[in-house]
Amino acid sequence: MVFWLITSVLAIGAFALLALALWRGHEGARPAAEFDLKVYSDQLAEVERDKERGVIEPDDSERLMTEISRRILAADTAMQMVQSDQRSSPMLSYGAMAVLALVLVGGSLYLYRDLGAAGYGDLALSTRIKQAQIARDTRPNQETAEASLPAPTVNPETPAAYVELVEKLRVAVDQRPDDLQGATLLATHEMRLGNASRAAKAHSQILRLKRSDATAEDFATYADMLVIAAGGYVSPQAEGALAAALQKDPKNGVARYYSGLMMMQVGRPDIAFRAWANLLQDSPDDEAWVDPIRDQIEELAFRAGVEYELPERKQAELAGPSAEDMENTAEMSDEDRQEMIAGMVAQLSDRLAAEGGSPEEWARLISALGVLGDADQAALIWQNAKDVFADRPDALATVRDAARRLGITQ
């Protein structure tokens, strides 16, 4: 209420001053001859008084009065020749006042609608920082976030045989909790099925088994699974994994992206903007986090109070076996060629599963699997790509072309 009272007084005061100036313009300026008449009338009265007191001789007073009277007639004639009413039109002044009131009052309300927050009090920076810290300390944990979401479902197009193999792998890992390779396989395939929560549980076993040998990539992958399982929400558990990843590798892109996302979610757009702006500058365009950052960073900069211009995209080299790589294998034996291609394909597949990548890389992976004769695996990658690029039709079209060439789009 105090805010509205102060702004109303300021707006009305500014309007009153400008309206007064307009009204004075309406009254207009008096002609100079009018002031001359007043001066001459005063002089004539002064001569009359001096004559009565005997200060001047009668002949002199008569001569002075004649001269002053002549000047009065001349001034009166000049004033008659000048248009006496030099005032502006009253309707024009009233119209200008109405426009002024509309601009001051209506314009202020319009700006406040876009820039302000009706119903909220003004918050000092220190208060906002304290509130952000409270939001960070009291935000829901991982279990609460996952419980608020619908249970994950397996894509109906996923082959039943694959689902059955993953179920058997779950049983095997439960029976052998110290099997690092089994936990690694289970985490990978759970993610391919869309079971991020189960994948995170399996990956926690990987971290437990590796102990101090766990890499920044291990912790970043675990955080990624937790965030996906929570529907994009960075929980305290995910934050802990991100901190561990950044401690081991401050340049880890996944950890830097999610750390910025967390700061945005708890009400610190200033920290989030700095984190994302630096990450965007350091990253080639084929990194999975680049497009989400580019879609949001301008709004984030506005919220942080920073003037920011989105940089041009950078050209990035595609990973994985290229057409030139395939040609270079022509002189190898069949066994060596298959082993080389399989190694490159496995490396690309693992990276896309853990970090994501550009649609061109997904298409290249599908094409490479076709060269290896692994159409079933290529079909699974195509199904996964449909989920990854569901909200990016242009990107999905690139992957679809590769899948169509192998006949696995049905």
Side-chain angles (χ1 to χ4, degrees):
M1 190 63 188
V2 175
F3 168 78
W4 289 110
L5 180 61
I6 293 174
T7 53
S8 298
V9 170
L10 290 175
I12 292 173
F15 170 72
L17 290 175
L18 295 174
L20 180 60
L22 288 172
W23 184 254
R24 285 179 175 175
H26 160 69
E27 289 183 341
R30 296 179 179 179
E34 183 176 342
F35 295 98
D36 291 342
L37 282 174
K38 181 173 175 38
V39 171
Y40 295 150
S41 297
D42 291 341
Q43 289 178 346
L44 191 61
E46 183 69 20
V47 171
E48 289 283 355
R49 288 192 296 270
D50 290 345
K51 178 181 177 181
E52 291 176 356
R53 289 183 299 173
V55 175
I56 58 176
E57 295 294 330
D59 292 341
D60 292 335
S61 64
E62 188 69 26
R63 182 174 54 79
L64 288 173
M65 292 175 65
T66 300
E67 178 62 22
I68 293 173
S69 297
R70 185 186 65 78
R71 293 181 180 180
I72 289 176
L73 290 174
D76 182 66
T77 302
M79 189 173 66
Q80 295 297 327
M81 295 175 64
V82 178
Q83 184 177 357
S84 60
D85 188 6
Q86 297 180 347
R87 297 178 298 176
S88 60
S89 169
M91 293 302 296
L92 183 61
S93 297
Y94 294 147
M97 291 180 189
V99 172
L100 182 62
L102 181 62
V103 171
L104 283 176
V105 180
S108 299
L109 291 175
Y110 177 79
L111 288 175
Y112 186 76
R113 186 196 67 175
D114 288 347
L115 304 178
Y120 288 87
D122 187 25
L123 295 177
L125 180 59
S126 59
T127 304
R128 297 182 185 182
I129 293 175
K130 289 179 181 178
Q131 289 184 349
Q133 187 60 47
I134 293 173
R136 181 177 180 179
D137 294 338
T138 60
R139 69 191 193 275
N141 59 23
Q142 184 71 25
E143 292 73 17
T144 302
E146 290 185 21
S148 66
L149 299 174
T153 58
V154 178
N155 191 318
E157 297 183 6
T158 304
Y162 179 68
V163 176
E164 184 178 352
L165 286 174
V166 175
E167 291 175 349
K168 290 180 179 180
L169 183 58
R170 291 173 191 160
V171 174
V173 171
D174 287 341
Q175 293 174 348
R176 294 183 295 179
D178 294 333
D179 184 359
L180 177 59
Q181 183 178 5
T184 303
L185 288 172
L186 181 59
T188 300
H189 291 289
E190 291 287 13
M191 281 301 294
R192 289 179 180 175
L193 282 180
N195 294 327
S197 181
R198 287 180 177 269
K201 181 180 178 181
H203 202 83
S204 66
Q205 289 186 244
I206 297 174
L207 297 177
R208 177 180 61 82
L209 294 172
K210 285 189 174 182
R211 298 179 183 272
S212 59
D213 292 333
T215 64
E217 202 65 44
D218 292 329
F219 283 104
T221 300
Y222 179 55
D224 182 44
M225 293 174 175
L226 290 174
V227 173
I228 293 174
Y233 163 70
V234 184
S235 67
Q237 289 84 343
E239 180 186 358
L242 295 172
L246 291 174
Q247 184 177 9
K248 290 179 174 291
D249 179 14
K251 295 294 186 180
N252 185 276
V254 174
R256 292 167 68 187
Y257 169 72
Y258 281 131
S259 295
L261 179 63
M262 180 198 67
M263 286 299 177
M264 184 169 64
Q265 291 175 349
V266 299
R268 290 302 304 270
D270 53 331
I271 299 178
F273 169 75
R274 290 196 297 270
W276 279 7
N278 292 333
L279 178 57
L280 187 61
Q281 184 178 4
D282 296 342
S283 303
D285 280 347
D286 61 336
E287 296 292 1
W289 52 79
V290 169
D291 284 337
I293 289 178
R294 293 184 68 90
D295 290 342
Q296 303 174 73
I297 194 168
E298 289 181 300
E299 173 65 21
L300 186 60
F302 174 77
R303 290 172 54 191
V306 177
E307 292 186 3
Y308 178 75
E309 183 177 350
L310 193 64
E312 296 291 335
R313 288 185 175 273
K314 300 185 287 290
Q315 296 295 327
E317 295 183 1
L318 297 178
S322 63
E324 183 179 355
D325 294 330
M326 298 300 183
E327 292 176 1
N328 292 336
T329 65
E331 299 179 358
M332 296 182 179
S333 64
D334 290 344
E335 183 178 350
D336 291 342
R337 181 167 55 250
Q338 290 293 100
E339 183 178 353
M340 175 185 171
I341 296 175
M344 290 188 291
V345 168
Q347 185 179 16
L348 176 58
S349 178
D350 290 342
R351 189 174 70 81
L352 292 182
E355 304 176 12
S358 67
E360 290 78 11
E361 289 179 317
W362 285 80
R364 177 168 291 181
L365 177 58
I366 291 175
S367 299
L369 288 169
V371 172
L372 292 175
D374 195 351
D376 291 340
Q377 182 64 20
L380 289 176
I381 297 299
W382 162 238
Q383 298 302 327
N384 194 8
K386 288 197 291 186
D387 295 332
V388 172
F389 299 107
D391 57 345
R392 296 173 57 193
D394 294 342
L396 185 59
T398 300
V399 187
R400 183 183 289 108
D401 289 341
R404 184 181 295 114
R405 288 193 291 269
L406 291 181
I408 59 174
T409 56
Q410 300 300 325

